[in-house]
Amino acid sequence: MNKKIIYLMLTLSALFWGATFNLVNYSVRYLSPPAGGALRYSVASVVVLGLLAANRRTALRALRSSWRPLLGMALIGVVVFNVLFFFGMKYTSPTNGALIQATNPLVTALIAGVCYGERISRGHKIGTMVSFAGVAVLILSGSVQRLEPPNIGDLLCLGATTCLALYSILSGRYIKNSSPVVTTGLTTIMGCAGLWVAALLVSPRPTPHVLAHLPAGVYAALTFVGLLATVLAYVFWNYGVSHIGVADTAVFFHLVPVFTVLASFALGQPVTLLQIGAGIVVTLGVFVSSREIPAPRTVAASVPVEAPDPDEQPAT
């Protein structure tokens, strides 16, 4: 396929994910966060059921050999992630949420290095410090000025990003006899069931009366997020990874907060200079982390062994 078409697909993935923050921020005005996540994944489940039916043999093999890690991924990367993400977007701005989410590749590499001993390159160490400095300023600046605790929404979004990183790590280390489509499909179905259980425990519960009186805009927003940002964006992203590689594909993730800011401007939501500055710092850190910075030369220098880029698959 022509590279221009692949680039367009990856740009659309970033656009879909970038718009998600504004749409979720809108939907939680009318729904509890677990209910919003449940409706989002209900839309996605309709599509992935068809994908699983077309790959049923692979799906059955994956369930037989990896049902435990798949269940763990569904709980952490779908249920807990969406509860934290939707609650976070109830209390913070779309721009803050997108900037915090932009650190996901760095969080993934950091957890993999600390917990599993995977090599963290010098570039990743520097990039992580730079990006986390930007996020720390974003989260703490207002609370320090007012002598108040940090915004709970920002902290919840940071927790959601950590859940997404754990999802990627579990997928890369423990899933056998599967494919990205099947893994995504199975965790989507399992996670959707878990989100409905959570939704029934949190008020306001998504009763038929509540669902019947939701504005049409809420259904439109969650259909967009469920269909385009939860399914199609991942298909485009995986296609990019398989055709142009992880490193070149990952560059397009830098566009996610850009599209979130543009959507905020279009919707009349304020974007502060602090958020713009933090976005520049976070983006700089992600850029540095994707570059291999050579270690200082020593007298008995050995040829460095280059480690592969960590598996990164952002999701919102």
Side-chain angles (χ1 to χ4, degrees), residues 167-257:
Y167 177 95
S168 299
I169 292 170
L170 288 173
S171 177
R173 296 189 68 89
Y174 298 111
I175 300 302
K176 308 296 182 185
N177 302 317
S178 187
S179 68
V181 170
V182 167
T183 299
T184 301
L186 291 173
T187 54
T188 294
I189 300 297
M190 294 177 180
C192 182
L195 283 169
W196 275 109
V197 172
L200 294 174
L201 298 175
V202 177
S203 183
R205 296 178 179 85
T207 62
H209 176 76
V210 170
L211 296 177
H213 290 82
L214 287 177
V218 173
Y219 284 110
L222 292 175
T223 298
F224 179 100
V225 174
L227 182 60
L228 300 182
T230 309
V231 179
L232 192 59
Y234 281 104
V235 172
F236 286 171
W237 194 264
N238 286 330
Y239 197 89
V241 169
S242 64
H243 283 75
I244 65 174
V246 173
D248 288 341
T249 300
V251 172
F252 286 83
F253 193 62
H254 303 171
L255 294 174
V256 172

Side-chain angles (χ1 to χ4, degrees), residues 15-237:
L15 171 62
F16 297 154
W17 287 327
T20 294
F21 296 90
N22 293 279
L23 296 174
V24 168
N25 181 265
Y26 166 71
S27 69
V28 291
R29 301 175 195 173
Y30 303 93
L31 284 166
S32 73
L39 288 175
R40 167 190 183 174
Y41 271 80
S42 294
V43 174
S45 294
V46 173
V47 179
V48 300
L49 279 172
L51 296 175
L52 290 176
N55 297 272
R56 54 186 177 276
R57 291 184 180 177
T58 303
L60 290 173
R61 284 199 303 269
L63 281 173
R64 281 195 294 267
S65 62
S66 305
W67 69 268
R68 289 183 181 85
L70 283 168
L71 181 59
M73 289 169 61
L75 290 174
I76 295 171
V78 178
V79 179
V80 179
F81 165 77
N82 276 274
V83 170
L84 293 177
F85 176 58
F86 275 72
F87 265 116
M89 294 313 303
K90 188 173 183 177
Y91 298 110
T92 192
S93 69
T95 301
N96 275 31
L99 291 173
I100 293 169
Q101 187 88 11
T103 63
N104 174 260
L106 306 182
V107 174
T108 303
L110 186 62
I111 294 175
V114 172
C115 296
Y116 295 102
E118 293 186 12
R119 177 179 174 268
I120 303 177
S121 69
R122 191 160 175 256
H124 260 106
K125 292 176 182 176
I126 296 173
T128 298
M129 290 188 291
V130 172
S131 279
F132 283 177
V135 170
V137 170
L138 186 72
I139 293 175
L140 298 175
S141 61
S143 60
V144 170
Q145 292 171 5
R146 297 187 298 269
L147 300 178
E148 296 174 353
N151 185 322
I152 186 63
D154 292 339
L155 297 179
L156 290 170
C157 286
L158 190 59
T161 298
T162 303
C163 288
L164 196 59
L166 291 171
Y167 177 95
S168 299
I169 292 170
L170 288 173
S171 177
R173 296 189 68 89
Y174 298 111
I175 300 302
K176 308 296 182 185
N177 302 317
S178 187
S179 68
V181 170
V182 167
T183 299
T184 301
L186 291 173
T187 54
T188 294
I189 300 297
M190 294 177 180
C192 182
L195 283 169
W196 275 109
V197 172
L200 294 174
L201 298 175
V202 177
S203 183
R205 296 178 179 85
T207 62
H209 176 76
V210 170
L211 296 177
H213 290 82
L214 287 177
V218 173
Y219 284 110
L222 292 175
T223 298
F224 179 100
V225 174
L227 182 60
L228 300 182
T230 309
V231 179
L232 192 59
Y234 281 104
V235 172
F236 286 171
W237 194 264

